[in-house]
Amino acid sequence: MSAKQVKDTAQEIKEHPMEGLLRMDRMPHIWCSTCGLGTTVTALATAINQLGLDTNKMAVVSGIGCTGRVAGYLKLDSFHTTHGRALPFALGLHISRPDMKVIVFSGDGDLISIGGNHFIHTARRNVDITVICVNNFIYAMTGGQVAPTTPVTAKSSTTPYGCYEHPFNLPRLAASSGATYVARWTALHIRRMTNSFKEAIAKPGFSFVEVIAPCSTLYARLNRLGTGLDLMKFYHDNSVIKHGIEPKDADIDFQSKIVVGKFIDIEKPTYIECLNDANKHVFGDKYKPYGGSDGSY
Amino acid sequence: MKADPRNVLTGANYLDGNHASAEGAIAAGCKFFAGYPITPSTEIAERFARRIPLLGGVFIQMEDELASMNAILGASWGGLKSMTCTSGPGFSLMMENFGLGIMLETPTVLVNVQRGGPSTGLPTLPGQADMMQARWGSHGDYEVIALAPDSPQESFELTIHAFNLSEKYRMPVLVMTDECVGHMTEKVIIPPAEEIELVERKYTDKKPGEAWPYESTNGDIAPMLPVGKGYKFHVTGLTHDYRGYPVINAEAQKLKVKHLVDKINKNVDDIIWIEEKDTDDAEIVMLSYGISSRVMQPAIARARKEGIKVGQIKMVTVWPFAEKRIAELAGKVKSLIMVEMNYGQVFLEMDRIARGRCKTYLAGHAGGTVHKPEDIYQIIKEAAK
Ligand SMILES: Cc1ncc(C[n+]2csc(CCOP(=O)(O)OP(=O)(O)O)c2C)c(N)n1
């Protein structure tokens, strides 16, 4: 490469390719390198770009945790709420602005432990929200405590001798609670994950994508699994793509095979469709379909 | 802005306090109610659920009170006036995210129809023992606005007032009623819509890219940013700067918390609403709020008939506390008496402000029923000695 070529390339990459969707004034971010959040956020940004959606009409809501910080870095209307409560906040936001795409981006502890009740009920109602859950099998933000997803025998700071509780299988939970779209990928399945994000965002109803990601600083270290990159590769190389399988067959054991793929993709009326249909049925022409704060009422 | 006539049941209505509160919310333009059933507040939710489908809004029964509180914050950012109601244990569950509402400076309304506690306590019977929880129930330092209606009429009016204050001061506002008021049925005069003044939310007039969500400090109220219009703003429950970006240090904390506190403290004259009677030459002043301010009337009448110079103050706003006026009275009167259905909550504030300049008495009560006039009368006699 000539000196001139090098210079041109340097100029070309001065602008971050995701600049339009990232809050560059908040960089550098707080995440450890190779934690998997980077590829996941990149995949989401790519998905949004490829869908060609009006980003003025998108919002992201997060709870608390490392993953919960995503809301702070995406250049959309973005809400960093309290631990576990991203979903009900997002529900209120969505109902008030049904014309907007609301994405909830949070951790497994946030969404499934403290926020578990909201998770099953938001799925049950089929609220038109896309949920991206980064599952690192641990509570990262608070220093590596056990999570409801921690595989049996895995160590955490509060299961120093190994976890002995049955973990949740998140796709199974989402599907049985009523989600219309359920997929799982690892943080290195960038193309497939991006594709799933696109499908999930386009899907009317409660869509759920789980991303298996390494926590390089805590989970990898406490379990002596090498670097974050080692673990990211391990998850990818030990995954088996099985589209359409029963989510109950997608349990995850400690450092063994991980079933990934698109498990559920069904049609079902959304919360707002149900609300409007029911009221139309009862009130007839007296009822004006509910249209949110920008609605025609 | 005036109320929309479609939302207003103008005329003489026969309503209980809870139904009146729901009508107040509807008249105020509330379009989103998220709640979880709990006695004795449920009728507010039920009435809203019945009335709202044809008025262009949504009622949703959430999975719990944590969800309810968050949903109304989300809906408020989405541009709808929103509210919830609860009682007892539900109020405890709402506290964490009431704090989120304070931190994000989000207008919304929470009606607490108080029952006896602690814990499950007395689900069907009244109390006024959540007053300090209203003041301090969420962690951290902040100021609140809490209104206390004494009747269905006031439940209607103060619910509207709560919405107005919440928009004006950009914060969640509490309506602290109780089982007695909630379940008492009386005549409620609902005025024509054009006589109901509503405070409209202030949105920024700056362009996207030039506006931030918290562009004021020291208690000035910054206009909000609308979602969906390209502002692409960020807000967080972490301590943050004017941009809404987290800043984790003592300096940012001072700016933010000082602002939250100043917002109320600098505007107490606008917010505080008390109603005085016979205080000019009073030797004894009775303070109360909500149902207790009505319950004390027979005792006051009896004492006055006997020549005891008793005046009274009904606190429509309990928080912020009418500190200036109470301090003034403490320097003039012989005794101040607080009548409330608890064993000394708002009393503590009155006592602190009196600073020993007059005698202070508590006419307390454990709740479950209202005070007996006789018990209040005996305290007046004692205070008059
Ligand atoms: C009510 C409440 N309880 C506890 C915490 C402390 N806390 C912050 S993040 C977190 C867990 C985060 O784990 P997860 O959701 O899996 O996200 P990660 O950090 O792993 O991305 C906890 C327990 C809190 N902020 N709020």
Side-chain angles (χ1 to χ4, degrees), chain A residues 146 150-165 222-223:
Chain A
V146 72
T150 308
V152 172
T153 73
K155 287 186 175 143
S156 74
S157 71
T158 48
T159 52
Y161 311 109
C163 173
Y164 43 79
E165 291 183 20
L222 286 166
N223 289 289

Side-chain angles (χ1 to χ4, degrees), chain A residues 64-67 83 107-110 114 136 138-142, chain B residues 96:
Chain A
I64 302 292
C66 294
T67 315
H83 192 31
D108 50 298
D110 187 81
I114 192 166
N136 52 16
I138 208 159
Y139 283 13
M141 176 65 97
T142 41
Chain B
E96 183 201 11

